[in-house]
Amino acid sequence: MTEIIFYTGIKDELPFLIKLSEKTVKLRRNACIATRDPEHSKSVSEYLWSHDPTKFIPHSIGADELTNDLTTLELRHDDGSSHLDILINLTPKTPDHFSSFQRLVEIVTDHKISIETGRERFKWYRDRGYDIKVHKM
């Protein structure tokens, strides 16, 4: 069964995503980052490239870019992914394909809409018997 982890009280989603991405790369894990749409994928990718000029987070946008053993992060706005290890959800909904991953990470910021949709997703997973870990940041 997919392990579900909620990170709550996040001030800003993208700097926190950087921390998760760096940890994923350091641990040599693979992750799919679920985005809302192609434009969101592009803006997240640009942030991953520009957050710190002295660091590199290998990633690709969907299947359109070359993926290899060095590409540990894949940005997707659809349900297809070659990385079935970790799914990091940056969307306001429960991803249809989350159960094909070993771990699902939900990021809940301190914004009202994020808290409301986060609660809905939490209840949805709980009602289906998933064991949920919550980390308050």
Side-chain angles (χ1 to χ4, degrees):
M1 184 173 269
T2 301
E3 176 186 9
I4 299 179
I5 302 170
F6 273 76
Y7 289 96
T8 63
I10 305 301
K11 184 173 183 148
D12 192 354
E13 175 181 85
L14 291 178
F16 187 74
L17 177 64
I18 293 294
K19 291 178 184 179
L20 286 177
S21 300
E22 288 174 341
K23 184 176 181 180
T24 299
V25 171
K26 183 179 179 182
L27 295 175
R28 298 179 189 255
R29 304 282 301 264
N30 293 318
C32 175
I33 301 172
T35 59
R36 295 183 296 272
D37 52 46
E39 293 77 28
H40 189 216
S41 291
K42 185 177 178 186
S43 67
V44 171
S45 177
E46 289 171 0
Y47 189 83
L48 289 172
W49 280 113
S50 65
H51 78 284
D52 183 340
T54 65
K55 294 183 179 180
F56 172 66
I57 298 177
H59 67 279
S60 65
I61 297 178
D64 294 336
E65 294 185 12
L66 176 66
T67 58
N68 57 42
D69 292 338
L70 297 176
T71 307
T72 60
L73 301 173
E74 180 182 25
L75 302 170
R76 300 292 298 227
H77 63 275
D78 57 19
D79 289 346
S81 178
S82 61
H83 297 323
L84 299 178
D85 190 7
I86 301 168
L87 175 61
I88 301 171
N89 186 20
L90 299 183
T91 74
K93 62 183 180 88
T94 301
D96 292 334
H97 64 301
F98 79 92
S99 62
S100 62
F101 290 82
Q102 293 177 18
R103 177 179 296 163
L104 169 65
V105 175
E106 293 278 3
I107 299 172
V108 181
T109 67
D110 56 8
H111 303 313
K112 183 179 179 182
I113 293 173
S114 180
I115 292 168
E116 290 172 0
T117 59
R119 285 180 180 152
E120 290 170 11
R121 291 191 312 272
F122 182 93
K123 183 180 183 312
W124 192 90
Y125 299 126
R126 186 193 62 206
D127 290 350
R128 283 153 183 78
Y130 286 92
D131 184 33
I132 304 168
K133 295 178 185 172
V134 178
H135 299 284
K136 295 180 183 179
M137 306 309 281

